[in-house]
Amino acid sequence: MAKIGRPPRYTSKEQIEGLIEDYFESCEGEMLKDGEGRPILTKFGEPVIIGKKPPTVTGLALALGFATRTALLNYQGRKEFADTITRAKTYIEEYAERRLYDRDGVHGAKFSLINNFRGWSEHPKGDNADIIDKLDDILGGIDNAVKPKP
C-alpha cells in the first residue's frame, strides 16, 4: 500500500536541535555598541539590546519551517521528536511564567500559557459555580413549568 501525504520535513531530532538553538539565540537580540565597540547603556546602566523578542510557540514553528503552530504540535506527537520539542516549548513556557510577575507582560503571558500549554487555566478545575448557577436556572424553569398555576 502506498503512503499518502507529504513526506516528513524532518527525520531525526538532530535536524531540528540546531534550528531550535538558533531561534532562541535570535530572540535574545544584540547588544548595541558604539563606534569603538563599547556597549551603549541606558540611563539605568543597563546595556541597550536591539532586536530582542519573546520566544513563542508560533515563532518556534516558523523558525523550524512549519506553516502553522499546529504543524509543530503534530511533530511533538511523534515519538522521535517529543522530548526535543517538549523541551523547547518548556523554555517558552518558563519565559511566559516569568512574565506573569511583570506588569507589562502579564496579560500576554496568561493568554499564551492558557492556549499553548496543558495544565494552565483561568479557572480552577473545581470551580463549578457557573455550571451550578446555569443548572439552577434551567431546573428552576422546569419546576415553574411543571407546577400548576393557582
Side-chain angles (χ1 to χ4, degrees), residues 19-31:
L19 295 171
I20 290 171
E21 286 179 31
D22 291 346
Y23 171 68
F24 288 129
E25 282 180 25
S26 76
C27 290
E28 294 173 8
E30 284 186 55
M31 191 179 314

Side-chain angles (χ1 to χ4, degrees), residues 70-92:
T70 305
L72 172 69
L73 300 178
N74 290 339
Y75 259 76
Q76 185 181 9
R78 296 178 181 195
K79 184 179 178 183
E80 64 270 27
F81 298 105
D83 287 344
T84 302
I85 294 174
T86 298
R87 183 161 175 76
K89 283 183 56 192
T90 299
Y91 179 84
I92 295 168

